[in-house]
């Protein structure tokens, strides 16, 4: 009985881990953006969508993620969107909770220059130091890029 119970708990654990919607590790220099097909090289702009089944779809820029999400909205309706903290690459923020800056001097891989920060204060501090403007998540989701 103990072996059966252990097996059931192990299977449940594996299912839980497999369906996690936490961001996956990005392999800079080898992972490819799912939208523009460029290699992901700069952690400051990386983003990803994690589906409800735990599959991570990676991007080299926030604007690529938003366009891809908009183009595949129905199949990604329960997915979580993650953006990298511009000031601390590798730290992930759920995109709707992030504070965004459209920079006038920092160029992202696709040129829309969208930067994500974990708090409004950090985004405001960035704008005080470098030209740019604060934008909200809705504005970010409406971003268009030319390819």
């Amino acid at each position: 009985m103990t072996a059966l119970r252990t097996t059931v708990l192990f299977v449940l654990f594996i299912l839980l881990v497999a369906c996690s919607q936490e961001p996956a590790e990005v392999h800079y220099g080898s992972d490819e953006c799912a939208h523009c097909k460029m290699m992901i090289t700069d952690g400051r702009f990386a983003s990803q969508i994690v589906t409800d089944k735990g599959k991570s779809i990676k991007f080299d820029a926030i604007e690529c993620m938003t366009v891809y999400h908009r183009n595949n909205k129905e199949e990604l309706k329960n997915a979580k969107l993650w953006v990298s903290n511009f000031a601390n690459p590798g730290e992930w923020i759920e995109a709707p909770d992030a504070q965004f800056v459209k920079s006038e001097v920092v160029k992202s891989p696709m040129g829309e220059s969208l930067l994500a920060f974990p708090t409004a204060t950090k985004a405001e501090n960035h704008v005080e130091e470098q030209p740019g403007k604060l934008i909200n998540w809705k504005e970010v989701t409406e971003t268009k890029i030319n390819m």
Side-chain angles (χ1 to χ4, degrees):
M1 193 62 156
T2 303
L4 176 63
R5 187 172 166 188
T6 301
T7 302
V8 169
L9 288 174
F10 180 74
V11 169
L12 288 173
F13 173 76
I14 294 298
L15 288 173
L16 269 174
V17 170
C19 295
S20 169
Q21 288 189 283
E22 294 299 310
E25 180 181 356
V26 175
H27 300 99
Y28 298 102
S30 62
D31 282 346
E32 181 179 272
C33 176
H35 182 67
C36 71
K37 308 300 181 200
M38 289 174 51
M39 191 176 297
I40 304 170
T41 59
D42 193 335
R44 299 176 304 165
F45 306 103
S47 58
Q48 58 184 294
I49 296 172
V50 182
T51 70
D52 56 349
K53 294 181 180 166
K55 178 184 174 190
S56 173
I57 305 166
K58 300 171 187 172
F59 303 91
D60 66 339
I62 296 168
E63 54 266 35
C64 280
M65 178 184 71
T66 59
V67 171
Y68 185 93
H69 185 257
R70 197 168 47 239
N71 292 343
N72 299 283
K73 199 167 191 112
E74 189 57 36
E75 73 181 66
L76 297 172
K77 66 181 176 186
N78 294 321
K80 284 190 175 182
L81 285 67
W82 298 90
V83 291
S84 180
N85 178 351
F86 178 78
N88 189 18
E91 178 184 306
W92 294 98
I93 310 163
E94 278 198 63
D97 297 335
Q99 306 298 311
F100 294 93
V101 170
K102 183 167 177 60
S103 178
E104 295 174 13
V105 293
V106 179
K107 300 297 179 201
S108 65
M110 294 305 289
E112 289 302 316
S113 303
L114 300 175
L115 319 178
F117 295 90
T119 66
T121 301
K122 291 186 178 187
E124 291 164 0
N125 289 344
H126 181 85
V127 171
E128 287 175 11
E129 295 170 5
Q130 299 187 44
K133 69 175 187 176
L134 301 172
I135 61 173
N136 62 36
W137 174 236
K138 184 176 184 319
E139 293 170 295
V140 171
T141 62
E142 295 169 350
T143 299
K144 295 181 174 35
I145 56 176
N146 296 320
M147 290 183 53

